[in-house]
Amino acid sequence: MKKLDMLYEGKAKKVFLTEDSDVLIVDYKDDATAFNGLKKGSIENKGVVNNRMSNLLFKMLEKGGIETHLIEEISDRETLVKKVSIVPLEVIVRNVAAGSFSKRFGVEEGTLLASPTLEFCYKNDNLGDPMINEYQILALDLATKEELEQISEMTFKINDMLVAFFKEIGIKLIDFKIEFGRYHDRIILADEISPDTCRLWDANTNEKLDKDRFRRDLGNVEGAYEEVFKRLGL
Ligand code: ADP
Ligand code: UDP
């Protein structure tokens, strides 16, 4: 399938139209940003890691009954995906306290939560992606009640599958962010699942193997992405 006009250039990916109006090509960049674009940099080979890792995880989730946007990986950095209309929500799951949750509630990073939590942020760069609750989502008509129920149900299933999957390769899934889209009459998983969008800690040492190394200037950012890539057998 040929790449036509660029539809959108985001912070981490470029999105291209194709001859098929139902299909897009996403092209993963090495660009890294944090704090709503305030911190900028580049992580060598990140595009390859995130593209191939997302595709591997999406395939695993598909086997578990979750429909995703994945059609086919066409190169190390490019993938054919189903074109969806993104539900403007960042859906965040947490198994262990970290980041903004730790700050907001005064819970030490690394504290195991009594049960996994689900939270939503309104995907809006101008507003800095504010946290939003389910009533506010309905009030702003960002999603219907049925869609929200479906998203929540799918998200907890995805969490269960991802936690088990990462455990096998000696990684604790602390938290992650996913996005869903409307595709014809259904809600499917879109965007990516990668060290950019997850907190991944080594199960034995708690070493951070994710974008927090970039956000917090912890060093060896490339090494962390490579380590996850290697453990996935990629
Ligand atoms: P951002 O917009 O946060 O800078 P990216 O650089 O990752 O993020 O850009 C990719 C954009 O493409 C995001 O806005 C994401 O919501 C959107 N997107 C992801 N998957 C799909 C899809 N299957 N169809 C349409 N848009 C998608
Ligand atoms: N996250 C993301 N994109 C965002 C915000 C958060 O992928 O715009 C991910 C982040 O990598 C982490 C989880 O969502 O895995 C929870 O992030 P948190 O709310 O703690 O925010 P942060 O500490 O990144 O500000």
Side-chain angles (χ1 to χ4, degrees), residues 8 10-13 24 69 81-82 84 86 123 179 191:
Y8 177 78
K11 296 184 288 287
K13 303 189 280 293
L24 297 174
H69 73 169
V81 301
K82 298 171 192 161
V84 303
I86 291 284
K123 234 177 101 70
E179 296 180 18
D191 204 49

Side-chain angles (χ1 to χ4, degrees), residues 90 92 94 99-100 129 175-177 196-199 215:
E90 299 201 326
I92 294 173
R94 301 174 188 275
S100 63
D129 300 338
D175 57 29
F176 61 95
K177 182 270 298 178
D196 273 13
T197 63
C198 301
R199 286 196 169 93
R215 293 191 191 99

Side-chain angles (χ1 to χ4, degrees), residues 42-56:
S42 160
I43 301 170
E44 203 187 329
N45 240 18
K46 174 171 85 77
V48 176
V49 173
N50 289 8
N51 180 42
R52 298 199 49 210
M53 170 170 174
S54 276
N55 292 341
L56 180 90

Side-chain angles (χ1 to χ4, degrees), residues 29 35 39 89 97 158 166-167 169 184 187 221 229 234:
K29 307 189 284 185
F35 314 119
K39 184 180 168 86
L89 296 173
I158 291 168
F166 281 114
K167 196 168 177 213
I169 56 169
H184 299 282
I187 292 280
V221 186
F229 197 62
L234 291 169

